Amino acid sequence: MADNLSSHKSSNYDTEVIKTIPYYDCFHGETISLVKSIFQSSKKWLDTGCGTGNLVEKALIEFPDFRFYLADPSNDMLSICKKKFDNSQIQIIGNNDTASINFDFKVDIITAIQSHHYLDTRGREIATKNCFDLLNDNGVYITFENIKPVSRFGIENGLKRWGNYQLERGRKKPEVEKHKNRFDKKYFPIKISEHFDLMRQTGFRFVELFWMSNMQAGLYGIK
């Protein structure tokens, strides 16, 4: 039984997620590369749905003068973060989902990696709007999510390929089928065009797709 919204326990999330999501290990590197291309000086960075803190652990190496804020709705995930970090640059702000995060200041970067696709339509709208409100002008919101292909065939074929990926990495067939059955039941992916519409309607001036493979994509918006 998972202790968070993913299909993996917090204690083995990092080892299991790379067996489950193709190219997952690229998500953090691509995010860090994108931030590097936008900001050169010290900034404030909120990682919402931070999980075990792996993204921030890697970002600290590249951005030693940044200030990081970590939030996740899972207490178990945050417990791992608290053991991992003993650094004045990092503040763990508690078991908050994105919509409930509130600061008396603005941040420059918000990342939501494999986090917001667990939300329903209204929840996603509220979370995206809160990200927009929490950002400084010219700040960047970066999200990686499971996405929905545009056709029924695309969905079926995408899930088949996704299942094959997991089987090739040693996951058992019943486990893989259970994971595939989470689509549109335990998490609620939307099409890339719907991501663009939502982020533009929220107020982001520029919205771009910067990474895509299989049924995952990375997008960003500039306030």
Side-chain angles (χ1 to χ4, degrees):
M1 187 73 177
D3 47 32
N4 60 88
L5 292 175
S6 80
S7 59
H8 314 299
K9 285 189 175 181
S10 299
S11 58
N12 61 4
Y13 180 85
D14 294 330
T15 56
E16 290 301 317
V17 71
I18 60 174
K19 301 176 187 176
T20 308
I21 300 178
Y23 303 109
Y24 180 81
D25 53 353
C26 294
F27 295 2
H28 295 167
E30 292 297 318
T31 298
I32 289 167
S33 174
L34 178 61
V35 172
K36 275 185 177 179
S37 71
I38 299 172
F39 296 115
Q40 285 74 50
S41 58
S42 178
K43 298 296 178 183
K44 295 182 175 71
W45 183 334
L46 165 65
D47 188 28
T48 179
C50 66
T52 64
N54 268 2
L55 171 59
V56 170
E57 188 174 33
K58 295 170 187 175
L60 264 173
I61 298 170
E62 303 293 336
F63 308 103
D65 57 347
F66 278 31
R67 177 81 179 172
F68 296 91
Y69 304 88
L70 280 69
D72 196 281
S74 166
N75 281 320
D76 294 271
M77 290 290 199
L78 292 177
S79 293
I80 294 171
C81 288
K82 289 173 183 176
K83 293 174 184 176
K84 184 177 289 187
F85 297 115
D86 181 17
N87 189 313
S88 60
Q89 290 171 253
I90 296 173
Q91 182 178 341
I92 297 172
I93 62 174
N95 61 328
N96 296 293
D97 57 26
T98 303
S100 64
I101 298 171
N102 184 34
F103 294 128
D104 57 3
F105 56 89
K106 303 286 188 182
V107 297
D108 306 289
I109 303 150
I110 297 178
T111 45
I113 310 299
Q114 295 297 108
S115 176
H116 288 171
H117 56 224
Y118 295 111
L119 303 173
D120 62 16
T121 300
R122 182 58 181 154
R124 189 191 294 269
E125 290 172 355
I126 294 169
T128 305
K129 179 63 165 61
N130 199 36
C131 287
F132 181 85
D133 291 341
L134 290 168
L135 283 169
N136 281 315
D137 288 346
N138 300 309
V140 59
Y141 165 58
I142 305 168
T143 183
F144 271 84
E145 290 198 21
N146 296 337
I147 55 168
K148 178 176 282 189
V150 298
S151 67
R152 173 51 55 185
F153 177 86
I155 293 170
E156 292 173 355
N157 187 255
L159 289 172
K160 183 177 181 180
R161 292 181 63 209
W162 196 349
N164 289 340
Y165 171 87
Q166 296 179 52
L167 291 169
E168 289 165 1
R169 279 146 188 82
R171 303 195 87 202
K172 304 300 183 184
K173 189 169 183 178
E175 189 177 29
V176 170
E177 291 303 313
K178 183 177 179 181
H179 187 268
K180 287 164 61 179
N181 288 334
R182 288 166 56 87
F183 184 91
D184 260 349
K185 298 186 182 88
K186 296 294 185 180
Y187 67 93
F188 308 96
I190 60 176
K191 300 171 186 175
I192 287 176
S193 60
E194 294 174 309
H195 277 286
F196 273 66
D197 290 344
L198 172 60
M199 292 168 73
R200 286 168 176 154
Q201 290 164 10
T202 301
F204 288 100
R205 292 184 296 131
F206 307 114
V207 180
E208 296 289 346
L209 171 72
F210 74 106
W211 193 94
M212 180 181 170
S213 180
N214 294 283
M215 295 177 76
Q216 288 76 41
L219 302 98
Y220 70 92
I222 303 292
K223 181 171 179 178

